[in-house]
Structures are given as C-alpha cells and as structure tokens.
C-alpha cells in the first residue's frame, strides 16, 4: 500500500516557465555571441575543436516543427543520487510525447555503463507515472563509470545506431557533464548525428555559474538536513548535556554546510574554503573549536552544535598536499598498491614514498583515519570523503585539547559529545516543490535544445528566485565552464567546480553572525519540507540562492 503523501505527489503537476506554457510548436531558439572557456582557453580549444566557442542559447516565441519527424532519445542518470532526477526524466518524456506520441525515450540502466553495455528500458506512461515527483534514482539506477575512452565512445555510437537515436541526455554533476562534453565532441568530430545534452545535478551545489544558478537536489537535501539539524539543536537545548558534531555531505565545496548554517544558526560551522584561504592547519581548527566550547562553558552552556563539511579534510593545506601525494602514488603504483592485502602493508608502502612534510601530516592521524585515506578512489580519482570520519576525528582532537586547557586552568566545563553524518538521508527524499518544478523544467528544456540541434550543452533554467512562471530557459555550452586540472596524475579538461565564494553574500552573512551564534544560543528550527500551503512556505528557494540573487 502506498503512503498518502506518495499518492498525493504522483498527482502534483510541476510548474513550467512561461515560455513553455504556449505549446510545443511555439518556441524557437535564439543564439548569442560565441563563448570561451573560464580558463586555459588555448588548451581547451585544442581539445574541443568541433564544439569549442559555441554560443549561449535562449528561447523565444516563434514557430517550429519539432514533432514532424519522430525521434528516439536516450537518457542516463550519472553519479550520486539527488532529489528530482526522476522529474528530469518525466519532463523530457512529456515534451517528447507531446511533440509526437511516437517519439521514444530509452532509459539506460546503472549510469554510463548502461549506455556502453546497451542495458535499457523503453519508457511508457504507465511506468513513468509511478516515479513522478518522487526522490531516488531507482527508475533506471545510476553509476559512476567514467566515459572517456575511444572504445567506450565507439560502443555508445553503435548503441545509438542500433536504437536509431537522435540524442542522449546525461543527468549528472561536474564530472559526468565533463563526460557529456567529451562525448559530444567525439560525436561532432566523427559526424555521428546524435546530440548530447547535460542536466546539472548534484546535492553538493558546486556545479553553478552565472547561467546555472544551482544544481538540482541542493534545495531538497539542504532542507532535509536543516530539519534534522534543527531537531538536534532543540534536543541539545532541551537536555543541555551534549556537543553534537554533525558532518554534512558535499564532497568538495561547503555549500551544503553553509546553507544549513544559514537555516539553523548553529554554534560552529567550518567552511572548508575559508580554512584553505587562511591556510589553517588542523591544530588551528581544533583550537578554534575548543575556544568556542570553553567560552560557552563559562556561561554554563556545556552543549552546542557544530557543522563540519565532508570535504574539510582535503582543504587543510598540509592534508591537501598529503592527499594529492597519496592520489599520485596510488595512481602511479596502482598494481603494486592494490596487491597489498593488509592495512599495515599498505601503510608501510605509502610511508616510504611520501615527502617528509606529508609523512608528518599522515602520522598525526589515528590508524582509523589513515585507513580511510588509503581506501579506493572513485572512478574519477577522488578520495571518497564520505567514508572519512572527520566528525569523530575532530571530537577526539578537541577532547584532547580541552583536557590540556583544563590542566592549564583555562577550561572548567564538561565535554560530552555525539557524532552524526547527514548525507544519504537527504539524497533520495521527495523533491521539494522547487526541485520538482526545476527538474521537470530542465528535462522539458533539454528536449528543445536537442530539437534545435544543439550538442555539448547544459540545460539551463534561470531566474529561480522568482515564481516558476518567470523562469528563463536556455542552454550553456559545457566547454564554457571548463579549465585544465590534474586528475589521476594527468592534466585534463574538466568543468571548474564552484566552491564557496568568500566574497559572496551567503558567506558574508554567515561571517557577520557567527560570533553571536557561537556564544549565545540562537538556534532556528526550519521544520519539515512542506508541499501544500502558502508559496512562501512551500516554494521558497534556499537562503544561499536568495542571497546570491537578491537585487
Ligand atoms: P555527485 O557529485 O555525483 O552528485 O555526488 C555527490 C555526493 O553525494 C557527495 O556529496 C558524496 O561525497 C558522494 O556523492 C558520495 O558518493 P557515493 O554515493 O558513491 O557514496
């Protein structure tokens, strides 16, 4: 038996931008000036000779014949789950079927590998209807396989030929959309008549720029975490006996932690980008936290809430160098390293190859964290930070520091802690109205980009702080967001990650309030996501988005 909310959400009709309300044949693309990549223009241009420099695209009223010839389109979900993925597929499906009921949408299962292995389903209305406005990626599953070799591209080409496909939509984050750009370039260079369009997904919120205001999933995930943090704050303020250290997902950027801090006003929130910019060492971070704990203890408050971004460890300068050396060793000595069975053997092998400074940084960590730092990298060469227990590490080190402070007469409180990690709890939640509408619009828009013959573009829907009817739809060339970075020991073209801007309004707001939030108890309680009721409660965007785009 399905829950009443599930039934209710199936029936929700996502809101589209005004341009799409006129009818499928009443829209035409309008192109702007040629574009350039955000950096390393010459190198990126050389690697993308067929797709570099394409113009940005907007849509205007006009007449098209998009339904005249039937088309087949493939879609994949790539990378970590993010609320709203199902609605991207629903929006794409509905636009295809409205244009021509014989159009087909083919879902490739398990992420990019489904595309190379031709593991697919053809969507029907009955099937799609079970997934409308629901969380999760279970409609076709997802995966992190990297599409990068000629052999893979040839396989995809043959799969496209077999299904007589005209386009592929890749729903993914920065790494997956980098793959989309590389595939689009390969197809364009080899005259394969299949367009490739990306859709900006990731709860991490780090795939954004002036045209992509936010990646989908960030809105819902931060609202879910903020509800939980608010509940913990109320518990902490009721019992007054624990310090709660809460690690929040976000592999690199601290957008999630910052947004949750803006929503819940905790005593401490570490922002990794600030740690990097101030070149703070691990011991300075520990000192800073311990000072807040001690100051609150002076007021009789032996409790509090600290938010820790998941990616913190990689932003501490000495640990960043250490991780980059580890990544390099693991990539260069892959066969030897993977042949070592025990943690002790791996540790000994690595310690011999680290530079003296990194060896010193490595030795600071307890064995548990060392083992986590040596775990397998993801297919893109990244450390899997969600598996590193930074919150526990900080609790241990802050506890040691407070003991020292007590011995010196500088601390007289009691430090009892609880640790939490919020990540997977928010990635498959029912999408908020914002994400349900945004994702549906992104998928709908992808159809128009494809029919307009655009390839190597990211579906873009902007003006998101306004009601959905005022949203602006278009497309951004993916090469425009690229620069060169070292990945797996090689210089590669990749989409530049949008980290927290320390000059931006969300961080400025936080920085101007954090001292007050640290000493006093200023907790706020956002409560659960609401789906029905006044728009200011149900359709409200994140505080980050509102501050970034406030006029
Ligand atoms: P994407 O960048 O693919 O959207 O994934 C983001 C994320 O949720 C991170 O926040 C987290 O570190 C990672 O995925 C966890 O990966 P996994 O699901 O493989 O454990």
């Amino acid at each position: 038996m399905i829950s009443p909310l599930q039934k209710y959400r199936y029936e929700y009709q996502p809101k589209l931008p005004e341009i799409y309300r006129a009818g499928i044949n009443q829209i035409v693309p309008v192109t702007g000036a040629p574009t350039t990549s955000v950096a390393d223009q010459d190198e990126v241009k050389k690697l993308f000779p067929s797709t570099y420099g394409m113009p940005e695209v907007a849509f205007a009223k006009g007449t098209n014949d998009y339904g005249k010839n039937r088309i087949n389109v493939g879609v994949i979900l790539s990378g970590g789950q993010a609320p709203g993925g199902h609605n991207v597929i629903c929006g794409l499906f509905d636009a295809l079927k409205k244009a021509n009921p014989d159009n087909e949408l083919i879902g490739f299962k398990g992420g990019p590998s489904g595309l190379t292995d031709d593991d697919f389903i053809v969507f029907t209305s009955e099937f799609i209807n079970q997934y409308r406005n629901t969380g999760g990626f279970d409609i076709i599953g997802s995966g992190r396989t990297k599409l990068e070799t000629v052999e893979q591209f040839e396989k995809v080409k043959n799969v496209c030929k077999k299904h007589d496909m005209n386009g592929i939509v890749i729903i993914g984050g920065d790494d997956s959309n980098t793959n989309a750009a590389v595939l689009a370039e390969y197809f364009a260079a080899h005259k394969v008549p299949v367009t490739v369009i990306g859709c900006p997904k990731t709860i991490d919120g780090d795939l954004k720029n002036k045209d992509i205001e936010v990646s989908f999933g960030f809105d819902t995930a931060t609202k879910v975490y903020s509800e939980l943090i608010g509940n913990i704050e109320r518990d902490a303020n009721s019992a007054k006996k624990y310090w709660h250290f809460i690690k929040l997902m976000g592999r690199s950027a601290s957008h999630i932690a910052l947004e949750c801090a803006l929503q819940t006003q905790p005593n401490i929130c570490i922002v990794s980008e600030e740690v990097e910019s101030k070149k703070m060492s691990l011991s300075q971070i520990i000192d800073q936290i311990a000072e807040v704990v001690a100051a609150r203890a002076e007021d009789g408050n032996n409790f509090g809430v600290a938010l820790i971004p998941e990616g913190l460890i990689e932003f501490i300068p000495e640990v960043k160098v250490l991780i980059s050396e580890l990544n390099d060793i693991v990539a260069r000595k892959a066969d030897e390293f993977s042949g070592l069975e025990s943690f002790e053997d791996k540790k000994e092998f690595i310690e011999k190859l680290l530079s003296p400074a990194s060896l010193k940084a490595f030795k600071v960590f307890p064995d548990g964290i060392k083992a986590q730092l040596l775990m397998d990298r993801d297919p893109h060469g990244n450390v899997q930070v969600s598996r590193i227990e930074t919150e526990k590490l900080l609790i241990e080190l802050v506890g040691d520091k407070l003991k020292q402070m007590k011995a010196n007469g500088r601390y007289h409180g009691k430090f009892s802690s609880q640790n939490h990690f919020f990540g997977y709890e928010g990635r498959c939640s029912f999408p908020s109205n914002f994400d349900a509408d945004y994702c549906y619009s992104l998928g709908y828009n992808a159809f128009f980009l494809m029919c307009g013959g655009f390839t190597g573009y990211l579906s873009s829907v902007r003006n998101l702080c306004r009601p959905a009817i005022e949203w602006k739809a278009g497309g951004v060339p993916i090469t425009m967001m690229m620069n060169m970075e070292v990945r797996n020991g090689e210089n590669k073209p990749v989409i530049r990650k949008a980290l927290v801007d320390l000059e931006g309004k969300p961080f400025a707001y936080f920085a101007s309030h954090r001292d007050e939030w640290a000493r006093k108890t200023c907790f706020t309680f956002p409560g659960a996501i609401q789906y029905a009721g006044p728009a200011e409660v149900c359709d409200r965007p994140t505080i980050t988005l509102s501050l970034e785009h406030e006029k």
Side-chain angles (χ1 to χ4, degrees):
M1 191 170 59
I2 63 168
S3 74
L5 179 62
Q6 197 170 340
K7 184 169 174 301
Y8 173 74
R9 288 311 277 171
Y10 285 159
E11 287 156 14
Y12 177 74
Q13 184 52 51
K15 302 183 273 297
L16 279 170
E18 207 263 328
I19 185 83
Y20 292 132
R21 299 187 188 185
I24 219 102
N25 295 119
Q26 316 277 300
I27 295 144
V28 288
V30 183
T31 52
T35 58
T36 55
S37 59
V38 282
D40 310 315
Q41 289 82 5
D42 292 342
E43 280 159 282
V44 178
K45 188 174 179 181
K46 212 188 265 170
L47 292 165
F48 293 87
S50 310
T51 51
Y52 186 86
M54 298 182 301
E56 288 188 69
V57 177
F59 288 102
K61 293 206 168 128
T63 313
N64 71 56
D65 62 352
Y66 290 166
K68 201 168 129 226
N69 301 317
R70 70 176 293 273
I71 57 171
N72 295 335
V73 172
V75 64
I76 61 166
L77 291 160
S78 182
Q81 283 68 250
H86 288 166
N87 267 26
V88 180
I89 295 178
C90 294
L92 177 61
F93 177 85
D94 288 353
L96 276 161
K97 293 292 181 187
K98 257 188 214 167
N100 183 334
D102 292 332
N103 286 344
E104 271 189 357
L105 182 61
I106 304 162
F108 291 93
K109 296 186 196 168
S113 62
L115 197 51
T116 50
D117 302 348
D118 195 22
D119 186 7
F120 69 97
I121 56 162
V122 177
F123 290 115
T124 60
S125 296
E126 294 68 40
F127 184 76
I128 282 267
N129 289 346
Q130 304 167 66
Y131 292 93
R132 290 186 187 272
N133 310 301
T134 57
F137 278 6
D138 43 322
I139 189 168
I140 43 174
S142 185
R144 290 194 185 274
T145 306
K146 192 162 169 53
L147 281 182
E148 60 177 351
T149 65
V150 168
E151 194 195 346
Q152 287 173 313
F153 296 153
E154 281 296 310
K155 278 189 182 172
V156 176
K157 185 176 102 180
N158 292 335
V159 168
C160 290
K161 201 162 168 201
K162 178 191 150 197
H163 294 286
D164 194 17
M165 274 161 54
N166 307 73
I168 301 172
V169 174
I170 295 185
I171 304 170
D174 53 341
D175 287 330
S176 312
N177 280 299
T178 295
N179 293 348
V182 178
L183 181 65
E185 172 64 31
Y186 186 85
F187 279 0
H190 292 81
K191 310 269 179 278
V192 180
V194 177
T195 57
V196 184
I197 300 294
C199 285
K201 170 235 72 164
T202 175
I203 61 159
D204 293 2
D206 56 7
L207 174 50
K208 65 174 169 182
N209 51 50
K210 76 171 179 37
D211 297 296
I212 306 295
E213 294 180 358
V214 69
S215 54
F216 78 76
F218 178 74
D219 186 271
T220 310
T222 53
K223 283 173 181 161
V224 172
Y225 305 144
S226 296
E227 181 205 351
L228 298 175
I229 295 163
N231 296 349
I232 284 179
E233 288 181 340
R234 216 150 215 161
D235 196 294
N237 199 24
S238 305
K240 302 195 190 296
K241 62 175 182 180
Y242 291 126
W243 264 92
H244 293 266
F245 279 55
I246 306 172
K247 182 174 81 168
L248 289 159
M249 250 191 189
R251 199 173 55 68
S252 227
S254 308
H255 297 294
I256 292 180
L258 180 57
E259 170 64 21
C260 292
L262 296 173
Q263 289 196 32
T264 61
Q265 305 187 175
N267 307 103
I268 295 169
C269 174
I270 310 284
V271 173
S272 308
E273 290 81 348
E274 186 182 29
V275 166
E276 183 172 49
S277 132
K278 292 187 171 166
K279 299 192 175 35
M280 289 173 76
S281 63
L282 182 56
S283 66
Q284 283 171 311
I285 298 168
I286 299 304
D287 290 353
Q288 192 173 304
I289 299 174
E291 289 300 335
V292 174
V293 174
R296 283 179 62 78
E298 265 176 41
D299 302 339
N301 293 324
N302 287 300
F303 69 94
V305 170
L307 305 186
I308 318 293
E310 176 186 75
L312 172 66
I313 199 100
E314 281 195 289
F315 283 76
I316 302 170
E318 73 265 23
V319 186
K320 187 176 183 171
V321 177
L322 163 68
I323 289 178
S324 135
E325 282 186 32
L326 290 176
N327 287 351
D328 186 46
I329 296 170
V330 170
R332 265 189 307 113
K333 309 257 176 193
D335 291 343
E336 280 171 80
F337 186 72
S338 58
L340 299 168
E341 296 266 314
S342 74
F343 163 65
E344 285 305 326
D345 288 347
K346 286 186 178 176
K347 188 171 76 168
E348 198 184 316
F349 178 82
I350 288 286
E351 286 185 347
K352 277 191 204 136
L353 297 168
L354 287 173
S355 67
S358 289
L359 183 59
K360 193 171 159 214
F362 192 60
K363 288 206 180 259
V364 168
F365 293 119
D367 272 359
I369 299 284
K370 281 190 191 134
Q372 288 159 9
L373 284 168
L374 296 182
M375 275 179 316
D376 291 344
R377 271 50 187 157
D378 77 7
H380 300 273
N382 304 310
V383 173
Q384 299 186 58
V385 282
S386 62
R387 297 171 68 185
I388 299 181
E389 295 176 318
T390 328
E391 69 287 17
K392 291 190 185 163
L393 172 72
L394 294 190
I395 287 176
E396 193 177 322
L397 299 179
V398 168
D400 292 346
K401 178 74 195 177
L402 290 169
K403 274 186 207 143
Q404 280 173 25
M405 288 168 74
K406 201 167 236 176
N408 298 336
R410 291 192 49 229
Y411 171 63
H412 307 284
K414 184 170 178 298
F415 181 64
S416 298
S417 61
Q418 295 287 352
N419 61 274
H420 313 261
F421 169 35
F422 297 153
Y424 300 98
E425 293 81 348
R427 297 200 312 181
C428 287
S429 162
F430 276 111
S432 59
N433 286 354
F434 175 91
D435 270 328
D437 298 344
Y438 181 43
C439 290
Y440 190 82
S441 301
L442 285 170
Y444 210 85
N445 186 54
F447 164 80
F448 289 93
L449 286 169
M450 251 173 205
C451 291
F454 299 100
T455 189
Y457 277 74
L458 210 52
S459 178
S460 149
V461 176
R462 292 177 291 119
N463 209 23
L464 298 171
C465 288
R466 304 293 306 154
I469 195 159
E470 295 176 38
W471 290 356
K472 306 269 177 256
V476 197
I478 302 176
T479 52
M480 193 180 159
M481 304 168 195
M482 290 184 137
N483 66 173
M484 303 298 293
E485 287 175 24
V486 177
R487 294 289 170 92
N488 277 335
E490 277 179 62
N491 211 20
K492 296 257 180 183
V494 292
I495 294 178
R496 181 192 271 177
K497 256 190 205 308
L499 299 178
V500 168
D501 177 6
L502 300 178
E503 305 291 318
K505 287 183 186 166
F507 181 77
Y509 184 90
F510 165 70
S512 64
H513 288 81
R514 64 177 152 189
D515 290 346
E516 188 191 357
W517 298 351
R519 187 79 190 232
K520 292 189 200 161
T521 301
C522 304
F523 301 153
T524 46
F525 314 104
I529 294 176
Q530 302 295 306
Y531 299 97
E536 66 267 28
V537 176
C538 303
D539 297 350
R540 154 188 80 90
T542 59
I543 299 177
T544 303
L545 193 66
S546 306
L547 288 173
E548 281 174 345
H549 296 276
E550 78 182 1
K551 296 277 182 290

